Amino acid sequence: MNILISGASIGGPALAYWLTRHGFDVTIVERSNGLRPGGQAIDVRGPALDVAARMGLLEEIRAHRVEMRGMSMVDGEGNEVYRSEEHTFTGGELAGPDIEILRDDLSQILAKAAGEVGYLFGDSIKEIVQDGRGAHVTFDSGLRRTFDVVVGADGLHSNTRGLVFGPESRFIRHLGTYLSVWTAPNILGLDRWQVFHQMPGTGWGGGVMSVRGNSEARVYMGFESEPIAFDHRDVEAQKRILRDRMGGAGWVFPELLEHMGKAEDFHLDAMAQIHMDSWSSGRVVLLGDAGYCGSPLSGQGTSMAMVGAYVLAGELAAARGDHTAAFAAYERELRDYVRGNQELALTNKARVEAQQAGEEYRGEVFGEVVGRLSLKDY
């Protein structure tokens, strides 16, 4: 089979790895001119650790992990009000088996492991026409090719999903928060540490964590808001939105916003989820955030993409290329796992709101969700 994957972040390269091992021919199309730099610290957890081990990449991923000793919460003057050397805001329990790693580092590892895969960088899908012979794809560049299967692994604002399934508004559920991230100098001189500040009653906050041997930092800022209309490819427009929302913020936020102006990897987007009755239509199927985004509030987006890639490739191989049977099995295998992780985002949001209100939270805990899927052998 000849398979096209749209998106070269996490799910795309992970799927390419498994598909090539099962004997499929793979092409990845990516709108950027190469693997995108930057991004937040992400987590490989639960069954995704097993997937990484089956890829032979677990130790390499662990070697590139974000090393943290702990975290602090500070007030508007920078005075520490809370600290922990047992868990962090971005990565959870430090003593646990989970691996926190920068998004671009994991992307590079997966792309390298995928091996001989054809890439179409700086291009995107313009049209998909399906019939009994295949999915006939026209690209923005004018290139035309036919594939047996097309996989949309192109994120929350999936172009593939829009072309085949309809407008994003039918599937997206906003969670009332926006998050931004970018790379900046380690201005606080942090040593494997992260510091966050949340202004009570304002709906905004953020923090800094040192990465890559303390040589640089990742900055996070977020704010509560109803959905905002903006071009998701217009980075300068995104920066203006954040400046407007964070105006008057204390602590070191003004200095961090100055560094934002020079950041080449700045990204801002909504905390949102994607809910769909079906992840496939004909020869087109969705993977990861494109089909079932859980939002960063779940802490599970990376793991769902890696697990989804393993299962989708395995079911295509088990069905001997019968995409209809494979897609149905893919959904049966993953639906409960995805549902639990999407619900986790909502319980995490409720837990944070309860803590801010000084109330006790009695909802579901993380460990009850990640262990719900046992991986099949393909």
Side-chain angles (χ1 to χ4, degrees):
M1 294 185 73
N2 187 15
I3 298 178
L4 174 67
I5 302 170
S6 177
S9 182
I10 302 299
L15 178 62
Y17 172 92
W18 290 111
L19 288 173
T20 56
R21 265 104 194 124
H22 289 303
F24 299 107
D25 293 326
V26 180
T27 300
I28 298 179
V29 60
E30 167 59 44
R31 186 182 298 274
S32 300
N33 291 324
L35 298 179
R36 290 185 294 110
Q40 65 196 74
I42 55 180
D43 303 286
V44 181
R45 292 171 160 158
L49 291 168
D50 192 1
V51 170
R54 295 184 187 199
M55 297 173 83
L57 298 177
L58 185 59
E59 292 311 311
E60 183 176 2
I61 293 172
R62 197 181 302 279
H64 285 81
R65 72 189 185 279
V66 173
E67 294 187 67
M68 287 285 114
R69 297 185 300 110
M71 64 161 290
S72 301
M73 294 291 292
V74 300
D75 62 20
E77 302 300 320
N79 301 308
E80 187 174 274
V81 295
Y82 168 81
R83 74 160 34 214
S84 172
E85 295 183 1
E86 298 179 352
H87 71 273
T88 64
F89 187 79
T90 63
E93 298 298 324
L94 294 176
D98 305 339
I99 302 173
E100 186 177 26
I101 182 172
L102 294 177
R103 188 209 63 83
D104 44 359
D105 286 350
L106 181 57
S107 180
Q108 292 278 354
I109 291 170
L110 294 173
K112 179 181 177 182
E116 295 299 320
V117 173
Y119 281 92
L120 299 173
F121 284 116
D123 210 347
S124 184
I125 300 173
K126 182 178 182 180
E127 183 182 50
I128 302 174
V129 177
Q130 303 186 62
D131 61 24
R133 295 183 297 112
H136 310 287
V137 178
T138 301
F139 297 89
D140 285 345
S141 64
L143 176 69
R144 295 172 185 244
R145 288 180 59 183
T146 297
F147 299 89
D148 297 299
V149 165
V150 175
V151 183
D154 41 0
L156 175 65
H157 305 294
S158 169
N159 174 58
T160 311
R161 186 184 63 233
L163 290 172
V164 177
F165 297 85
E168 182 177 290
S169 58
R170 293 174 51 188
F171 311 111
I172 195 167
R173 297 185 188 178
H174 286 268
L175 301 183
T177 302
Y178 280 78
L179 177 68
S180 62
V181 60
W182 68 93
T183 300
N186 185 6
I187 62 172
L188 296 177
L190 300 175
D191 178 14
R192 293 165 294 156
W193 199 263
Q194 53 187 247
V195 184
F196 282 82
H197 170 56
Q198 181 75 34
M199 183 63 182
T202 66
W204 56 256
V208 188
M209 62 186 294
S210 61
V211 296
R212 297 201 168 119
N214 304 320
S215 64
E216 62 184 47
R218 286 289 198 270
V219 180
Y220 300 85
M221 289 191 193
F223 56 88
E224 294 178 357
S225 174
E226 293 299 312
I228 304 170
F230 63 92
D231 184 346
H232 295 282
R233 300 190 187 99
D234 188 340
V235 176
E236 292 307 313
Q238 296 175 30
K239 291 180 178 180
R240 288 194 297 271
I241 290 171
L242 189 64
R243 286 193 189 96
D244 291 343
R245 295 283 176 155
M246 302 299 289
W251 189 42
V252 295
F253 286 163
E255 186 176 355
L256 294 173
L257 288 169
E258 287 296 319
H259 288 291
M260 176 193 71
K262 307 171 187 175
E264 297 181 356
D265 60 351
F266 178 86
H267 178 73
L268 179 143
D269 212 337
M271 295 276 202
Q273 296 186 338
I274 296 296
H275 291 261
M276 304 183 70
D277 293 334
S278 175
W279 301 332
S280 66
S281 177
R283 295 175 178 272
V284 179
V285 64
L286 302 175
L287 170 66
D289 283 358
Y292 37 89
C293 179
S295 89
L297 281 168
S298 73
Q300 282 289 91
T302 299
S303 294
M304 284 197 287
M306 291 181 65
V307 171
Y310 173 79
V311 173
L312 177 56
E315 294 297 348
L316 279 167
R320 297 183 179 276
D322 180 345
H323 63 274
T324 301
F327 294 167
Y330 163 64
E331 292 206 31
R332 285 196 303 271
E333 191 70 13
L334 287 182
R335 275 289 178 179
D336 288 344
Y337 173 67
V338 165
R339 186 179 297 111
N341 283 302
Q342 289 185 322
E343 291 173 355
L344 178 62
L346 304 182
T347 58
N348 281 342
K349 182 176 174 63
R351 176 174 52 80
V352 171
E353 291 172 347
Q355 290 174 344
Q356 292 175 343
E359 300 172 354
E360 184 178 1
Y361 173 72
R362 298 181 179 275
E364 191 169 42
V365 297
F366 177 77
E368 296 172 359
V369 174
V370 298
R372 286 180 182 166
L373 180 68
S374 297
L375 295 177
K376 293 167 61 175
D377 293 321
Y378 294 102

